Amino acid sequence: MSAYAIYRLPHEDHATLVQQTEGEPAEFLSCTELNGKHGFVVAPFEVTAQQPILLIRPDRVETIRLSWSEEGGAWSEKCLSAECNLTPHSTLLPSRTYQIDFANYHAQLEAGIFRKIVLARCAEEASEVAIDPMALFRRACGLYPRMFISLVSTSKSGVWLIATPEILLEGKAHDWHTIALAGTMRLEGDSLIGEGEKVTWATKDIQEQRIVTTYIAECLEQFTGDFREEGPRTVRAANLVHLRSDFTFTLPDGQHLGDLLHALHPTPAVCGLPKRETFNFIIQNEHTPRRYYSGFMGMLDPDAGTHLYVSLRCMNIEGSHYHLYAGGGLLTDSTVSQEWLETEAKLETMRRVIRQNNV
């Protein structure tokens, strides 16, 4: 199959296949070049000539029905219940490279250079035999009904699977929506029953979420005077909960979405503040290049409906080898052990998808 993307929106019972039947996806070096465009977008954290923004032309669009009886559904209920008996995978001790990165990043925070910065890492996994990526997609859909699930394959990016709770931009015509998502807490035991309503948030998480919310409000002020903020509230994503604020707003037209995306991406939820300074620091200092992790992907269609999500909880698939990515926002009171365990919890999202055959 040539370049394609298949995606499932949260809580929907069907997926949409978008395929470019001839040629290669268009390549762009700036979000602003997406103004007036239509197609499935695959954007990296750092845009370069070797790692461009890709736009899959929708030559073929097909709706695929997903059934709870298909692979993944029943196991989802078992795994995410209070009786989940999966063998813990968490590595309690941070790796040496992570400790080095954390110390480097945290020193910038203590010196007052940054207000927040996100530290990411990559973990390697393998299966005995290669699993069909479409089977992994179906598993993820069954496991994570609350999330945006997408599988993308292009010659430039390779094959990526994401299961993310974070909307970057969605809407059509004049009506649009984005969110501020930050703060992470793992649900365990009886707390897995429900939506995390009884969670008590630490000051660090509340501060982190407020930083992201303030940034997004300032971005929207550049494009519209008509927006409304609601929240924050606790939302669940798999066995994690986050703090979320919603922004609804109007735009005079949808033909300049690239300009808005340029302002929003990367948000402080995946980068930090000040945005440009933390972005440059991450590029120069993080041990593992993020590639298409913490970029964004989804359908761009100003008239019929845009659904763009931040590429979190994702993995790059290479045969039977999987490169899993996760990150966490650091503030001055962050600790290396706390942040390492947060990334471990996030990595479990994709580890569950790979390990389903062993359950």
Side-chain angles (χ1 to χ4, degrees):
M1 186 181 290
S2 55
Y4 72 89
I6 182 169
Y7 67 93
R8 198 278 326 264
L9 294 174
H11 302 291
E12 290 199 342
D13 61 0
H14 65 276
T16 302
L17 173 68
V18 179
Q19 184 182 2
Q20 181 168 330
T21 56
E22 294 183 358
E24 297 294 330
E27 300 182 7
F28 304 110
L29 295 179
S30 171
C31 288
T32 58
E33 296 179 68
L34 294 173
N35 283 338
K37 297 297 192 298
H38 171 212
F40 193 95
V41 180
V42 185
F45 178 70
E46 178 195 15
V47 180
T48 66
Q50 295 72 38
Q51 191 173 268
I53 299 169
L54 303 171
L55 184 67
I56 300 174
R57 189 176 64 244
D59 297 333
R60 174 190 172 204
V61 178
E62 180 181 345
T63 299
I64 299 174
R65 191 77 177 178
L66 296 173
S67 170
W68 284 111
S69 63
E70 291 189 84
E71 186 178 4
W75 189 79
S76 171
E77 296 302 317
K78 178 174 68 172
C79 177
L80 297 182
S81 73
E83 287 77 35
C84 178
N85 291 317
L86 282 176
T87 302
H89 193 287
S90 295
T91 304
L92 297 180
L93 297 178
S95 69
R96 180 60 180 162
T97 55
Y98 187 84
Q99 291 183 54
I100 293 170
D101 281 350
F102 181 90
N104 190 13
Y105 281 42
H106 199 256
Q108 308 300 308
L109 293 166
E110 290 182 316
I113 297 172
F114 305 142
R115 292 175 57 198
K116 171 191 172 177
I117 186 167
V118 175
L119 173 58
R121 67 184 182 96
C122 180
E124 305 297 329
E125 297 283 331
S127 58
E128 292 183 2
V129 295
I131 306 170
D132 178 24
M134 198 65 73
L136 293 172
F137 171 80
R138 288 184 178 275
R139 291 181 189 180
C141 288
L143 286 168
Y144 307 122
R146 299 173 178 84
M147 296 193 195
F148 173 81
I149 313 295
S150 182
L151 174 70
V152 170
S153 177
T154 76
S155 60
K156 196 80 171 186
S157 67
V159 182
W160 289 77
L161 177 67
I162 74 168
T164 178
E166 185 170 354
I167 299 165
L168 181 65
L169 182 65
E170 67 175 7
K172 61 181 179 179
H174 301 291
D175 299 320
W176 297 89
H177 176 218
T178 187
I179 69 171
L181 192 76
T184 301
M185 192 175 302
R186 185 170 187 164
L187 297 177
E188 296 179 307
D190 292 343
S191 64
L192 282 165
I193 302 172
E195 300 297 315
E197 304 93 335
K198 298 180 181 179
V199 163
T200 300
W201 289 97
T203 301
K204 181 257 184 189
D205 294 303
I206 295 171
Q207 290 175 340
E208 183 182 349
Q209 206 274 341
R210 175 46 51 186
I211 287 173
V212 179
T213 300
T214 301
Y215 171 82
I216 290 178
E218 291 172 349
C219 284
L220 294 180
E221 287 173 351
Q222 302 173 41
F223 296 88
T224 178
D226 179 19
F227 71 88
R228 183 176 65 179
E229 175 189 345
E230 295 182 352
R233 59 190 174 95
T234 299
V235 294
R236 181 172 172 178
N239 63 335
L240 304 176
V241 287
H242 307 282
L243 281 169
R244 166 174 166 168
S245 294
D246 287 72
F247 292 86
T248 53
F249 57 98
T250 61
L251 295 174
D253 66 72
Q255 298 307 306
H256 295 87
L257 297 182
D259 295 338
L260 176 55
L261 291 169
H262 181 73
L264 289 172
H265 174 69
T267 73
V270 297
C271 186
L273 281 175
K275 174 178 173 176
R276 187 50 49 189
E277 288 80 358
T278 51
F279 176 84
N280 291 334
F281 187 86
I282 289 168
I283 297 304
Q284 295 167 14
N285 291 277
E286 210 160 65
H287 266 88
T288 304
R290 298 188 182 189
R291 304 174 65 204
Y292 285 87
Y293 163 69
S294 65
F296 63 91
M297 67 174 63
M299 199 66 196
L300 178 66
D301 189 335
D303 299 317
T306 290
H307 301 279
L308 297 173
Y309 282 73
V310 182
S311 302
L312 305 177
R313 322 291 150 78
C314 67
M315 64 180 172
N316 175 218
I317 303 169
E318 294 184 335
S320 60
H321 294 273
Y322 312 93
H323 311 280
L324 283 61
Y325 293 81
L330 309 188
L331 300 177
T332 52
D333 58 352
S334 298
T335 66
V336 65
S337 59
Q338 171 193 33
E339 296 301 329
W340 175 264
L341 290 177
E342 180 176 317
T343 61
E344 280 292 305
K346 291 174 177 176
L347 290 170
E348 277 300 307
T349 300
M350 283 296 149
R351 283 177 176 150
R352 283 193 177 97
V353 177
I354 300 168
R355 292 156 50 206
Q356 183 173 347
N357 276 348
N358 299 323
V359 176

